[in-house]
Amino acid sequence: AQKVTQAQTEISVVEKEDVTLDCVYETRDTTYYLFWYKQPPSGELVFLIRRNSFDEQNEISGRYSWNFQKSTSSFNFTITASQVVDSAVYFCALSEARGGSQGNLIFGKGTKLSVKP
Amino acid sequence: GAGVSQSPSNKVTEKGKDVELRCDPISGHTALYWYRQSLGQGLEFLIYFQGNSAPDKSGLPSDRFSAERTGGSVSTLTIQRTQQEDSAVYLCASSFYGTGYGYTFGSGTRLTVV
């Protein structure tokens, strides 16, 4: 069965600190996709990144970076020099491959990040 | 429109009544998904439509829940005989088949059953 675990329920940091959000997943599939979404207080889920299981290269986008390690089934997300606007709930998600496409998303419970000024 | 549109944004209904929630996906997106987000329960998959294939209904919590997608576009999620535990935010998402752009979510419908 597929499962996504985000062990950190809530994290609080002070602005400009770096913070890493952990994500561990379980799947029997060899082809799968991993995602991170941001849900700010407004409620809408904002897509951040999608990574397929064959691409273990780390990714950096501005202050955001992602570390994908198949050996530990982890897909961690780091925010460098955090800002108040980063305050949100962050969800890690997993989807299986279905005929070359992606199936439904299995979400972790989310990590609520609070960045204080 | 440019994004996934859901209506209504808020719905208050009396226990036992039926409700219909609507989702307009992004034009051209072949896949459409419904999720439910409850306090303390995270995001729960409900149903998935992909093109003309039979929908994946494996996440529907009971037979009071049903959904249809007409013409491969608009989808309606129907909850019959609503219960208080149905209170949640219902989110719709759409995506292209086989692309790397992720799923685009709507703003959701907040359903309150009183």
Side-chain angles (χ1 to χ4, degrees), chain A residues 62-83:
Chain A
R63 296 184 297 106
Y64 295 171
S65 62
W66 291 269
N67 185 328
F68 176 29
Q69 292 195 346
K70 288 178 77 170
S71 60
T72 55
S73 297
S74 65
F75 187 43
N76 296 338
F77 173 31
T78 297
I79 302 174
T80 303
S82 59
Q83 300 177 2

Side-chain angles (χ1 to χ4, degrees), chain A residues 33 35 37 39 42-47 50 89 91 94-96 98-110, chain B residues 4 31 33 35 37 40-45 48 50 56 58 91 95-107:
Chain A
Y33 304 90
F35 301 79
Y37 279 86
Q39 189 175 42
S42 60
E44 192 156 344
L45 279 163
V46 177
F47 168 76
R50 174 192 190 265
V89 179
F91 291 95
L94 166 73
S95 76
E96 61 190 1
R98 291 191 180 186
S101 181
Q102 53 206 24
N104 61 287
L105 286 165
I106 308 296
F107 284 90
K109 297 287 189 186
Chain B
V4 177
Y33 312 79
Y35 290 84
Q37 187 172 25
Q41 295 298 317
L43 283 146
E44 174 188 13
F45 164 71
Y48 160 47
Q50 174 60 280
D56 177 352
S58 60
L91 291 161
S95 75
F96 279 117
Y97 178 90
T99 72
Y101 296 102
Y103 305 67
T104 303
F105 281 82
S107 300

Side-chain angles (χ1 to χ4, degrees), chain B residues 5-63:
Chain B
S5 177
Q6 291 188 246
S7 60
S9 54
N10 279 284
K11 176 72 176 179
V12 180
T13 189
E14 292 182 355
K15 180 181 171 181
K17 295 280 178 71
D18 297 352
V19 294
E20 285 189 352
L21 312 180
R22 177 186 167 105
C23 172
D24 276 287
I26 291 174
S27 178
H29 277 192
T30 55
L32 187 148
Y33 312 79
W34 283 98
Y35 290 84
R36 178 169 71 174
Q37 187 172 25
S38 310
L39 270 177
Q41 295 298 317
L43 283 146
E44 174 188 13
F45 164 71
L46 297 177
I47 189 168
Y48 160 47
F49 297 89
Q50 174 60 280
N52 295 322
S53 303
D56 177 352
K57 303 179 182 180
S58 60
L60 295 178
S62 78
D63 59 8

